[in-house]
Amino acid sequence: MFKTMPSFVQRKLGNTHSFNTMSFNTQWQYNIPFESYIYDHIWTQIIQILCTLVPLLLAVAFLTYAERKIMASMQRRIGPSVWGLFGVLQAFIDGLKLFVKEPSVPSTADQPLYIWAPMLTFIVSQIAWAAIPFGETNVISDLTYGAFYLLAVSSVGVYGILLAGWASNSKYAFLGCCRSVAQMISYELPMGMIILTVSICAGSLNIAHIVSSQYGVWFALALWPQLFIWFICTLAETNRSPFDLPEAEAELVAGYNVEYGAMGFALFFIAEYANMIFMSTQSALFFFGGDSSPITLLPNGCFWLWFKTFIFLFLFVWVRATLPRYRFDMLMRLGWKVFLPYTIAGFLTCAACLYAIY
């Protein structure tokens, strides 16, 4: 159909990192049809997406099992032990139970929003992985402003929780969603300042560039106060203990998802644990060099990224099994009066030092 490269394709190739311009021009030089190249490119992207999302969903299943086992060992219990070897199939049995359970919609609920809310939360938790580099070249979309993309996508997840609480038409669900919105907005601001601090240290907002700039020295050594604040903010951002106030069972029964069952509840559940993995991966990328090896003699690789991510996930579980729940006023005070001023001061100090040096 096309005898010459269309002008819109030329503009696209000149303004984005999604296409490999040199590869495309080479393909065009050897008279490979434009439709064939686009078809192959689409299939390559689909395979990349599946190779990212399928292991992620399996990791969510095994994370729930690992969390129950780790907490059981900390509390001198057995944990899952019936289904499969050492209870390893328990997560899949729980998922099957929710899948075959009959869904129910409250008669007073706003049904379109009620149905859409868990789907939105689940979708947002998956699309955030598009800009995560698992290696020097293993990334679905190498975005120039990838750090801002991660922050923006993680912020959109609050809309699913807000819709769930509003559409359920229940006072407990509505109070839970109001708490969650206030909490997530309050702790996104310090996280944004920390990401800016890391970005000016790396000289780029591209995540792959941020990772490669840490191959010599990790940012965790110089920015350890930001790392400490960042980890606490990730606990609040994912509504995990001790900041699980949107789901406080003693006050709100189950919070924003109290009216959900079957697959609606399952989607919220998967999104929560996927966000835990996502935040842990961000911590490894921004502060511990991503796939860089901690030992000079060993090569870099994706294994190191997952190893660092697992350490942060273990800290998530450890905190849940150890610390009591905060009061809501203490949570808000910590975010607005402590973390936000400190992160702004840290950003300005880091910027001033870099300006003085360079």
Side-chain angles (χ1 to χ4, degrees), residues 39 45 50 58 62 71 86 111 129 142 185 193 232 234 238 243 257 260 284 299:
Y39 181 79
Q45 291 292 97
L50 291 177
L58 291 175
F62 284 107
M71 291 183 64
F86 303 111
Q111 293 193 9
W129 291 87
D142 189 15
I185 292 175
M193 297 306 302
I232 297 177
T234 58
T238 54
F243 307 121
N257 59 5
Y260 283 89

Side-chain angles (χ1 to χ4, degrees), residues 305-322:
L305 176 61
W306 287 117
F307 178 74
K308 298 166 189 175
T309 301
F310 177 78
I311 292 177
F312 278 100
L313 289 173
F314 176 79
L315 293 177
F316 269 86
V317 178
W318 190 7
V319 169
R320 180 183 178 184
T322 306

Side-chain angles (χ1 to χ4, degrees), residues 180-322:
S180 181
V181 170
Q183 175 174 323
M184 295 177 76
I185 292 175
S186 300
Y187 283 83
E188 279 167 4
L189 297 176
M191 292 179 71
M193 297 306 302
I194 293 173
I195 288 178
L196 287 177
T197 305
V198 171
S199 298
I200 63 172
C201 290
S204 174
L205 287 167
N206 179 269
I207 303 176
H209 190 279
I210 293 174
V211 172
S212 62
S213 63
Q214 300 179 70
Y215 282 169
V217 179
W218 292 346
F219 288 156
L221 300 177
L223 302 176
W224 61 266
Q226 282 83 352
L227 172 60
F228 179 73
I229 296 175
W230 169 272
F231 178 70
I232 297 177
C233 289
T234 58
L235 294 175
E237 187 73 9
T238 54
N239 297 329
R240 293 287 297 183
S241 180
F243 307 121
D244 55 343
L245 292 162
E247 307 170 358
E249 67 278 356
E251 307 163 16
L252 304 175
V253 184
Y256 60 88
N257 59 5
V258 65
E259 300 293 343
Y260 283 89
M263 283 306 296
F265 175 81
L267 291 178
F268 280 121
F269 190 80
I270 293 173
E272 176 182 341
Y273 280 81
N275 286 331
M276 286 175 56
I277 301 175
F278 176 65
M279 288 297 175
S280 300
T281 305
Q282 284 191 82
S283 303
L285 291 171
F286 290 144
F287 293 99
F288 290 92
D291 63 336
S292 64
S293 172
I295 303 174
T296 307
L297 299 178
L298 297 179
N300 300 333
C302 187
F303 165 78
W304 296 113
L305 176 61
W306 287 117
F307 178 74
K308 298 166 189 175
T309 301
F310 177 78
I311 292 177
F312 278 100
L313 289 173
F314 176 79
L315 293 177
F316 269 86
V317 178
W318 190 7
V319 169
R320 180 183 178 184
T322 306

